[in-house]
Amino acid sequence: MNLTQPFWPAVLGRLDLDSLDFLKVFFHPTLNDVILSGAAWAVLVGGVLGVAVLSYFKLWGPMWRNYLVSVDHKRIGIMYIVLALIMLARGVVEGVVMRTQQADGLGGGFLSANHYAQLFSTHGTIMIFFMAMPFLTGLINIVVPLQIGARDVSFPMLNSVSLGLTVSGAALIMISLVLGEFSTGGWTAYPPYTEMSFQPGVGPDYWIWSLILAGVGSTLTGINFVVTIFKERAPGMTLMRMPMFTWTALCASILLIFALPPLTVAALMLAADRYLDFHFFTNALGGNMMNFANLVWLFGHPEVYILILPAFGVYSEIVATYSGKRLYGYGSLVVATMSIAILSFTVWLHHFFTMGQDANVNAAFGIATMLIGIPTGVKVYDWMATMYRGRVRMTVPMIYLSSFMVLFVLGGLSGIILANPSIDFQVHNTLFLVAHFHNMLIPGLLFGMLAGYTYWFPKVFGFRLNDRWGYISAYSWIVGFVLVFFPLYVVGLMGMTRRTVSYVDPAYQPWMLMSGVGAIFVTVALAALVVQLYVSIRERNYTRDIGGDPWDARTLEWATPSPLPAYNFAVIPHVHAREAFAVAKEAGRGYQEPTGYADIHLPGDTYMGVIMAVFGTAFGFGMIWYMWWLAVVSFAVMAVAFIVRALRGDRAAITIPAAQVEAEHKAWLAQVRTVTPVTRERELEHANHGVAAPETKEVAA
Amino acid sequence: MSHAATMEPAGQNPGLTFGAEHAHDHDHAGKALSGFWLFMMSDLIIFGLFFATYGTMLVPMSFAGGPTPKELFEIPGAAMETAALLTSTLTFGFASLAVKYNFAKGKVLGWLAITLALGMVFLGLEISEFARMFAEGAVPQRSGFLSSFFGLVPLHGAHVTAGSIWLIMMMVQIARGGITDSVRSRLARLALFWHFLDIIWIGIFSVVYLGGLA
Amino acid sequence: MSAPHNLSPAEAYRHDLKGYLTGFVLAVVLTVIPFAMVAKGGMSFNTVIGTIVVLGLIQVVVHVRYFLHVDLSPERREDLYIILFSALLLFIMAAGTIWILANLQDRMMGGVDMGTMHMESGSAGSSMSGMQMNGTTMKMDGAAKN
């Protein structure tokens, strides 16, 4: 078929046979192109396999009814986390390929420079926007309404729309593996290199549209959760009684609302430059590319805290639970969280100390950067004080927590070093920096998310995750992380620049080999997570969480059955204390019979999320490939869907009659009474069915 | 939310109680309004950064030898646009009052129609101004400064357009179903949006037009 | 916007109407003054700019008070906090952007294409240091090429 006929460019835009990455292996069978095509085939085969599995087990209907059109915050949270785990797998594989390349990179290696540049660009973009953000959004979605005693978020339909937009961004990134190439400009996509004159292809356009779509989704999520936390709290759940995770979710949501706009602005301006020949950031005719760095980091620094605050929240929850003590320094943790949220808007220039502004400007931002270490330090002390004299159980989340405390403080120290502009001038753009931010984000974000995943899994699915594979994964992550990234500090100080495909100085090689070995452990860690999920599902009948409280935990979400009913709470609780469930259990009132039941109203399903996901992807795809008809049609469909929904009003709410709620709740309470409570010593055994035996009172020392 | 529970002596605190469920007041309009405030503030940051970018482009390097604000802008056009938008904010206020005090739906529709007409006048003036600039060769592709102008001012225009479409939708909804609770709630949000756009316009006429001509 | 509760509906309506009209009159006055100043010309640049900025900020407050009905009353406290918080962040971002980029402008492009705007805003002194800095940078570039 000849694609150069005048008809086809109008339909297919700039898509042609050369864009089909999965064919490259047949034309140029070099190792580089085998990997390139292999990735494309992996996506295609993975997609086909997914469709086949869903069809074979006849899961299309259930998936559609129970997940895709659902507005249940728990289901939406699960979908976010599934997305995050898929993208985590891709991001880790990309990281491993990059480490392998550099281990082999003395004087060459097996990847082309262009391919390597695509790898670090997608790796960064994916890990930040399509792994970290969906993971924390998913956890917030699942946990926050439960922790504040609510039945759902304030805007359930909007929640589905946010998910749809995030999925469409992720879908575009996945499509970039199969069709065309991704940007080679790094995850921050600095112009002028990402302008038309240097990258006329589709790469930067994939970056622009996937980030704009996901960014709008995240902004809406932020709005949703700020309103939810302010307006949906159960009676008695005052702000200062909210669990720490909810506090961090609140601050992260506020950051989402105010920090995403700079990214949206930067991406829109770059799009105007590329599509309409504007001159925001071009070399010629008065563009100013330095403003892009400014805008991107106006977003980028608060983003760091969007990522890390929810992980701090997870750590605050698990440290209290697994130490069997109330959280130490609650007030100081709240104040520290809020201080971090504000200060995070005052440090962005430290990402470009070397751009040319004078020493006074650098000094101001350097000092602000050092200040932000103070509230973070307060938090670490609070967690340590919580563990102090607690009966600490070294479960999988606690392994993550304790390694986090050591590694994160080390990473923080390298951050304080970088906060000094005169030192930053020496090490900027080296692998020292790469080591630093991975040192913050892997223990600070990924470990926190995995700890939260392990901790809340039984609440959502009704059975515990296998702990043996959990330990294997956790230890592999820790060892792998240390081996991969600590050598990068060394070579960074030796002067090895980041984002280089190969090097000529043999002194780097031993460190690169060590880093490559670390990549093996990281691969094992990822594989162990998959095995853990498989084993856990297979053994689910032995690890049922009937009582809903497998960890003798302290906050409201554990006062519910596992898995949760759609309405969360049979009766909305009245909260009389901080860590109310722990206080209730101490008073011997862990499982109470409510005095009365009422009808429950839940929001109806919506197609808006699916429409956003499908037509958002189509819109981005049309823009990227210059298929203007597709972009226009898709945008129109999305707009009309909103208008139609607005004019027709909300879909009918589902009403669950009081009698049914009462029957279900009483059945659960009856079942709970048949379960033998377990002590904490037997927490990880099959005997643990989610009812905690009362702790023996601490002997006052 | 009762604070009485905090007064209970230690050890007596029940932590949680499950009373009979109250008839929950699902204040949806209030929540939607709060959410909309947050959306507008997010939008405010977007505008603010377009303003800041425009500010950084007011230097000879970014004029790139092309037209400068003094050569481009004219007082009468800006004044008329300002008059149209400012008046429309007042007429929307009248529409809000007509809804609040349960005036006949014809009155509400009338004020909304006048508001819409003023919005259209504003957009028409803006488009003719852009057309004049284009004719003079002052296209966004000419310089960084013009790019930032055509980033900021049409962004506001696009918001006014979106607001106008929303106005039309509201008029259709009112004409078909009268002043329902849903209409009240949405009109309250649209009012916020419309007044907010007028506030952004204060920034535009001050910074772009008056600042450029001063 | 709420009128005091002891008013009859008709009185409350007049009260609210008066609020909108007050806001409108104030807004018109605050708009006309800077327009007139610029149209008439003849005043110093700094005076005109100062007036535009101050009156513009006052007008924003007028709009927030009379059209968005956000005042100091307890029931609007929440919205007031949202606005003040947003204004703080907006100030940090916008002022920071201008500060950083003006500084860069002076140091990196100041010597190349000095126009009248810089002279007027009184940054000639810092542009001088910018020129020197620029010279050094260029020399270093030259060395690197060799």
Side-chain angles (χ1 to χ4, degrees):
Chain A
M1 179 166 46
N2 184 1
L3 296 187
T4 56
Q5 293 285 329
F7 173 70
W8 289 109
V11 178
L12 292 178
R14 45 179 169 168
L15 189 66
D16 58 23
L17 276 177
D18 283 343
S19 325
L20 307 178
D21 287 334
F22 48 91
L23 295 181
K24 289 215 165 87
V25 65
F26 304 115
F27 301 140
H28 326 272
T30 62
L31 184 52
N32 182 60
D33 283 346
V34 168
I35 294 172
L36 203 71
S37 287
W41 280 109
V43 174
L44 289 175
V45 172
V48 170
L49 266 181
V51 170
V53 168
L54 286 173
S55 308
Y56 181 78
F57 291 104
K58 298 195 168 58
L59 291 174
W60 285 106
M63 188 175 78
W64 176 263
R65 282 191 302 275
N66 296 337
Y67 284 91
L68 298 184
V69 297
S70 172
V71 291
D72 183 336
H73 67 96
K74 303 172 289 290
R75 302 286 169 90
I76 288 178
I78 291 168
M79 287 188 275
Y80 268 116
I81 291 176
V82 168
L83 174 70
L85 290 174
I86 293 171
M87 299 312 270
L88 173 71
R90 175 170 168 198
V92 164
V93 169
E94 285 175 333
V96 169
V97 173
M98 283 191 283
R99 287 294 108 230
T100 317
Q101 158 65 23
Q102 293 226 312
D104 183 38
L106 182 62
F110 55 92
L111 289 183
S112 71
N114 182 282
H115 191 178
Y116 188 76
Q118 285 188 51
L119 278 175
F120 67 66
S121 303
T122 41
H123 173 81
T125 310
I126 284 176
M127 286 302 207
I128 300 281
F129 294 101
F130 300 107
M131 188 285 285
M133 298 276 273
F135 214 143
L136 67 92
T137 310
L139 278 187
I140 289 174
N141 251 301
I142 291 171
V143 176
V144 163
L146 298 173
Q147 284 197 332
I148 60 174
R151 294 231 154 89
D152 209 328
V153 297
S154 284
F155 311 117
M157 189 277 284
L158 199 64
N159 208 9
S160 179
V161 167
S162 296
L163 172 67
L165 290 169
T166 307
V167 167
S168 66
L172 287 176
I173 296 245
M174 292 312 273
I175 290 171
S176 81
L177 270 183
V178 183
L179 296 173
E181 55 183 13
F182 197 73
S183 169
T184 51
W187 79 274
T188 47
Y190 278 10
Y193 179 58
T194 46
E195 292 281 0
M196 250 356 213
S197 38
F198 299 96
Q199 285 194 67
V202 291
D205 300 326
Y206 270 119
W207 183 88
I208 288 171
W209 295 110
S210 56
L211 260 58
I212 287 180
L213 287 166
V216 173
S218 297
T219 310
L220 297 177
T221 299
I223 292 171
N224 209 341
F225 276 94
V226 170
V227 177
T228 301
I229 293 172
F230 274 114
K231 303 278 184 183
E232 307 285 344
R233 299 193 309 274
M237 178 61 82
T238 57
L239 284 175
M240 287 306 278
R241 282 179 186 164
M242 292 196 313
M244 265 321 290
F245 181 76
T246 299
W247 264 110
T248 57
L250 173 63
C251 288
S253 303
I254 292 172
L255 292 185
L256 281 173
I257 296 171
F258 291 99
L260 259 314
L263 178 73
T264 311
V265 166
L268 283 175
M269 287 178 172
L270 187 60
D273 277 9
R274 288 182 62 86
Y275 284 80
L276 301 169
D277 197 23
F278 276 45
H279 294 284
F280 281 111
F281 311 122
T282 54
N283 303 62
L285 290 174
N288 185 351
M289 65 286 292
M290 291 185 289
N291 191 27
F292 186 90
N294 173 66
L295 290 172
V296 140
W297 290 113
L298 262 173
F299 147 78
H301 202 87
E303 167 72 6
V304 173
Y305 289 96
I306 292 170
L307 301 180
I308 232 158
L309 284 178
F312 286 175
V314 174
Y315 288 133
S316 303
E317 299 294 329
I318 63 176
V319 75
T321 294
Y322 292 114
S323 300
K325 269 177 73 186
R326 69 181 295 159
L327 184 63
Y328 181 88
Y330 176 89
S332 64
L333 281 166
V334 170
V335 173
T337 306
M338 290 198 283
S339 318
I340 290 173
I342 301 285
L343 282 174
S344 72
F345 282 101
T346 64
V347 300
W348 76 96
L349 182 128
H350 71 216
H351 295 273
F352 47 94
F353 272 146
T354 57
M355 202 158 74
Q357 59 282 348
D358 69 27
N360 292 337
V361 181
N362 277 353
F365 283 90
I367 291 166
T369 305
M370 293 180 201
L371 281 180
I372 209 167
I374 296 172
T376 316
V378 167
K379 292 191 157 212
V380 176
Y381 281 115
D382 280 335
W383 294 319
M384 292 199 303
T386 306
M387 290 172 76
Y388 180 65
R389 290 203 170 165
R391 292 181 59 194
V392 178
R393 289 114 62 194
M394 289 309 277
T395 51
V396 173
M398 284 303 273
I399 300 292
Y400 283 121
L401 169 76
S402 39
S403 65
F404 153 80
M405 290 210 287
V406 176
L407 296 172
F408 188 79
V409 168
L410 285 177
L413 286 174
S414 68
I416 297 289
I417 294 170
L418 285 166
N420 184 331
S422 49
I423 298 178
D424 185 78
F425 263 75
Q426 308 303 314
V427 293
H428 87 279
N429 212 29
T430 67
L431 285 173
F432 188 87
L433 178 76
V434 174
H436 162 70
F437 69 72
H438 282 94
N439 199 340
M440 303 315 276
L441 287 179
I442 293 179
L445 173 105
L446 183 64
F447 288 8
M449 293 298 111
L450 291 174
Y453 162 76
T454 316
Y455 181 60
W456 281 301
F457 189 92
K459 180 45 63 193
V460 177
F461 291 103
F463 57 94
R464 284 174 288 126
L465 280 172
N466 180 285
D467 53 285
R468 222 178 98 224
W469 285 99
Y471 282 118
I472 293 173
S473 186
Y475 285 120
S476 305
W477 278 117
I478 294 162
V479 173
F481 159 74
V482 169
L483 280 176
V484 169
F485 291 102
F486 280 27
L488 301 193
Y489 277 123
V490 181
V491 288
L493 288 175
M494 289 159 74
M496 183 171 177
T497 51
R498 65 192 292 204
R499 295 177 175 171
T500 39
V501 63
S502 61
Y503 47 92
V504 289
D505 188 344
Y508 299 155
Q509 200 186 24
W511 302 103
M512 289 289 101
L513 285 171
M514 192 196 277
S515 187
V517 171
I520 299 172
F521 282 90
V522 171
T523 316
V524 170
L526 183 67
L529 277 185
V530 178
V531 175
Q532 181 195 34
L533 194 57
Y534 172 74
V535 172
S536 309
I537 293 173
R538 207 184 52 191
E539 294 179 348
R540 63 188 179 280
N541 287 330
Y542 301 103
T543 57
R544 289 267 181 226
D545 172 26
I546 294 161
D549 179 29
W551 316 120
D552 194 13
R554 314 181 65 80
T555 42
L556 208 50
E557 73 269 32
W558 303 100
T560 55
S562 303
L564 288 146
Y567 46 79
N568 295 349
F569 298 91
V571 173
I572 295 292
H574 289 239
V575 178
H576 302 278
R578 204 178 283 162
E579 299 189 358
F581 186 47
V583 175
K585 282 191 284 186
E586 242 168 71
R589 303 161 60 108
Y591 296 93
Q592 301 170 46
E593 179 85 31
T595 49
Y597 294 88
D599 289 356
I600 293 174
H601 305 285
L602 292 176
D605 294 343
T606 181
Y607 298 129
M608 290 302 285
V610 181
I611 291 172
M612 287 299 124
V614 172
F615 290 95
T617 310
F619 167 73
F621 192 78
M623 291 303 286
I624 291 163
W625 288 98
Y626 295 176
M627 300 177 191
W628 307 123
W629 62 272
L630 182 62
V632 170
V633 168
S634 310
F635 191 82
V637 170
M638 291 194 282
V640 168
F642 266 104
I643 292 174
V644 167
R645 191 199 160 273
L647 289 179
R648 283 181 47 193
D650 289 316
R651 306 221 354 171
I654 300 160
T655 300
I656 302 170
Q660 187 191 339
V661 177
E662 180 169 10
E664 286 177 12
H665 195 64
K666 285 191 166 149
W668 175 61
L669 286 175
Q671 204 185 3
V672 166
R673 279 190 286 272
T674 65
V675 173
T676 322
V678 290
T679 57
R680 290 306 96 197
E681 284 77 19
R682 307 185 62 197
E683 187 170 47
L684 300 178
E685 296 171 15
H686 284 166
N688 182 0
H689 289 295
V691 181
E695 281 283 298
T696 43
K697 277 279 174 206
E698 266 182 74
V699 182
Chain B
M1 277 164 215
S2 154
H3 288 265
T6 51
M7 300 302 177
E8 290 178 32
Q12 304 277 310
N13 191 327
L16 292 172
T17 48
F18 296 88
E21 186 127 349
H22 299 287
H24 246 323
D25 176 25
H26 287 293
D27 173 24
H28 186 77
K31 286 176 210 163
L33 206 57
S34 300
F36 198 75
W37 265 105
L38 293 171
F39 163 74
M40 282 197 322
M41 293 300 109
S42 192
D43 213 20
L44 176 71
I45 303 288
I46 290 188
F47 274 113
L49 292 167
F50 270 97
F51 271 111
T53 302
Y54 181 83
T56 66
M57 293 282 192
L58 290 172
V59 290
M61 187 202 80
S62 294
F63 296 144
T68 61
K70 273 204 166 50
E71 298 158 20
L72 275 179
F73 303 142
E74 293 167 354
I75 289 272
M80 283 194 295
E81 288 168 39
T82 307
L85 208 56
L86 188 54
T87 314
S88 81
T89 237
L90 181 69
T91 56
F92 205 124
F94 292 156
S96 299
L97 284 184
V99 171
K100 184 179 174 187
Y101 291 99
N102 301 316
F103 290 179
K105 90 179 184 188
K107 271 206 164 144
V108 176
L109 282 174
W111 284 120
L112 289 180
I114 294 174
T115 307
L116 179 65
L118 286 165
M120 291 294 144
V121 168
F122 170 83
L123 286 173
L125 287 167
E126 192 161 67
I127 289 168
S128 69
E129 188 204 350
F130 293 161
R132 174 183 61 78
M133 288 174 72
F134 272 59
E136 291 169 12
V139 292
Q141 291 80 5
R142 177 61 191 84
S143 69
F145 158 68
L146 280 164
S147 292
S148 66
F149 172 85
F150 281 105
L152 172 61
V153 181
L155 181 70
H156 175 268
H159 277 73
V160 174
T161 310
S164 302
I165 294 172
W166 191 356
L167 255 176
I168 294 169
M169 279 174 56
M170 291 313 303
M171 289 166 70
V172 170
Q173 204 183 348
I174 292 170
R176 280 181 12 184
I179 314 278
T180 59
D181 281 350
S182 144
V183 165
R184 284 173 193 275
S185 156
R186 284 180 182 159
L187 218 49
R189 274 172 277 158
L190 178 54
L192 275 189
F193 188 65
W194 201 265
H195 296 315
F196 165 75
L197 291 181
D198 203 23
I199 294 179
I200 300 295
W201 184 256
I202 298 173
I204 291 182
F205 80 67
S206 300
V207 172
V208 176
Y209 293 99
L210 297 182
L213 290 169
Chain C
M1 96 148 77
S2 306
H5 291 299
N6 50 5
L7 296 183
S8 72
E11 285 170 328
Y13 171 71
R14 272 198 297 280
H15 176 274
D16 285 352
L17 189 64
K18 222 172 92 189
Y20 276 108
L21 290 171
T22 313
F24 184 69
V25 170
L26 284 173
V28 168
V29 170
L30 291 164
T31 308
V32 167
I33 293 174
F35 266 97
M37 276 177 92
V38 173
K40 192 159 157 284
M43 267 170 280
S44 83
F45 178 79
N46 287 342
T47 315
V48 177
I49 289 291
T51 313
I52 292 171
V53 169
V54 171
L55 294 189
L57 288 176
I58 295 174
Q59 196 181 343
V60 169
V61 175
V62 166
H63 278 240
V64 169
R65 166 70 184 77
Y66 290 100
F67 298 140
L68 297 179
H69 314 293
V70 175
D71 50 26
L72 300 175
S73 66
E75 58 264 35
R76 299 315 300 269
R77 199 55 57 82
E78 217 172 83
D79 295 331
L80 184 66
Y81 287 154
I82 294 178
I83 291 179
L84 291 177
F85 181 74
S86 312
L88 171 70
L89 292 184
L90 182 65
F91 174 76
I92 292 174
M93 292 190 196
T97 298
I98 304 244
W99 181 37
I100 294 163
L101 288 165
N103 187 279
L104 283 161
Q105 203 76 248
D106 271 357
R107 287 164 59 82
M108 299 178 76
M109 284 115 182
V112 183
D113 194 0
M114 274 302 299
T116 48
M117 264 192 90
H118 275 279
M119 294 300 189
E120 276 169 351
S121 54
S123 59
S126 54
S127 318
M128 288 296 285
S129 61
M131 280 162 74
Q132 283 160 7
M133 182 65 198
N134 205 36
T136 350
T137 323
M138 276 153 64
K139 257 178 244 152
M140 282 166 68
D141 283 349
K145 269 174 208 140
N146 296 337

